[in-house]
Amino acid sequence: MENCGFGYQNRVLDGVLSADVQADQLPVGNLTSPQGSAAVAWRVPGTTGTLTLTLPMSAPLRVFSFHRTNLTAVAQGTITVRNAGTIVHEWTGLFGVSNGQALYIAPQAVTGDTVTISLHDASNPDGFLSLPLAYVGPLWQPVRNFSTDSTAGFASGVDEATALSGAEYPQARWIQRKASIAHQSYGTAEVQTLREICRLGTMGRNILFVPDPASDVPAQDALFGRLSGGDLSNPFGPADRRALTFTLTERL
């Protein structure tokens, strides 16, 4: 098990996106939208597509993910990272899709300026691929892990009608995963990073949280969405221990 990780430097927002195929009105550039709706997604007509992300300069990269997708559990991918034309990392395999998320975490960060991701999901019943959100970038891990006081749950929108007899007729509109990420052991040297994560969250930027980057199926517990932070405190006096609780909600 590894310490938890936060992805807040999304290079998808910094570079130039291109794709070999895209549906009319649903281009690959939609991946820069913060919304997770299929109406503003990159749509691939058919079940195979490739995107290329070209960065203005080389940057460290470790996480490659898609969120709010219609990918199935057998979706496969090939990820190739190049730096100045030379392949520095390549992976091919099952994404381990869970909760509509396809997530690959490299063993360690690699430095690259071009990322190519190919997707193949031949058994997808929709006959197309819908990819609203993506994260490509580094993963920041605090020196010490998050607290067991952390919680995970769901929020939901339900329209409910009640008959005169008392019979109830609920109609679920949406379900949103959420997490309260408590941490009492940040170091003073990590405070600036925490402030930057909070700042980006306040701006509406989606933040990725991975409870255990070493998990065989990290997509099961990872969360990508809006983040807000509480007050930073120093509960243990002179000890180098800072406490902060993040609230993270899945972007719909």
Side-chain angles (χ1 to χ4, degrees):
M1 182 175 180
E2 291 186 23
N3 287 358
C4 66
F6 292 87
Y8 68 97
Q9 297 170 303
N10 194 352
R11 302 306 179 193
V12 170
L13 307 179
D14 303 331
V16 176
L17 288 165
S18 60
D20 61 342
V21 289
Q22 57 190 14
D24 293 340
Q25 310 304 317
L26 293 170
V28 70
N30 282 350
L31 288 174
T32 62
S33 168
Q35 305 301 328
S37 168
V40 288
W42 169 39
R43 178 170 292 189
V44 175
T47 57
T48 299
T50 299
L51 74 81
T52 300
L53 171 64
T54 304
L55 302 177
M57 62 182 65
S58 298
L61 309 168
R62 190 182 176 197
V63 182
F64 309 83
S65 64
F66 295 96
H67 307 268
R68 303 295 300 169
T69 77
N70 71 334
L71 296 175
T72 70
V74 295
Q76 301 178 42
T78 296
I79 298 171
T80 305
V81 181
R82 291 180 172 85
N83 195 36
T86 301
I87 295 177
V88 293
H89 185 75
E90 190 164 39
W91 170 86
T92 298
L94 287 172
F95 266 118
V97 175
S98 181
N99 299 310
Q101 301 183 127
L103 184 67
Y104 168 69
I105 303 175
Q108 58 188 14
V110 295
T111 298
D113 57 19
T114 306
V115 179
T116 302
I117 304 178
S118 297
L119 300 166
H120 182 61
D121 194 13
S123 61
N124 194 300
D126 294 330
F128 62 84
L129 307 183
S130 178
L131 303 140
L133 298 170
Y135 179 87
V136 175
L139 188 70
W140 176 72
Q141 294 175 268
V143 173
R144 292 173 288 271
N145 211 358
F146 67 114
S147 171
T148 54
D149 290 339
S150 301
T151 61
F154 296 90
S156 62
V158 180
D159 293 337
E160 189 163 339
T162 303
L164 293 177
S165 65
E168 299 171 341
Y169 299 91
Q171 185 171 7
R173 297 297 184 184
W174 49 267
I175 297 177
Q176 181 183 52
R177 295 184 302 133
K178 63 179 183 178
S180 176
I181 308 160
H183 204 303
Q184 287 90 37
S185 296
Y186 289 118
T188 302
E190 298 174 312
V191 168
Q192 190 57 41
T193 298
L194 297 172
R195 288 174 176 162
E196 179 65 7
I197 292 173
C198 287
R199 184 185 72 84
L200 293 173
T202 300
M203 294 171 58
R205 184 80 60 89
N206 292 321
I207 307 296
L208 176 67
F209 175 65
V210 184
D212 179 12
S215 169
D216 292 336
V217 190
Q220 287 183 350
D221 299 313
L223 201 58
F224 187 63
R226 298 198 62 187
L227 175 145
S228 61
D231 293 334
L232 186 67
S233 64
N234 188 11
F236 302 110
D240 185 21
R241 298 289 189 272
R242 299 297 185 94
L244 177 65
T245 297
F246 285 126
T247 298
L248 188 61
T249 56
E250 182 179 27
R251 197 64 178 261
L252 301 180

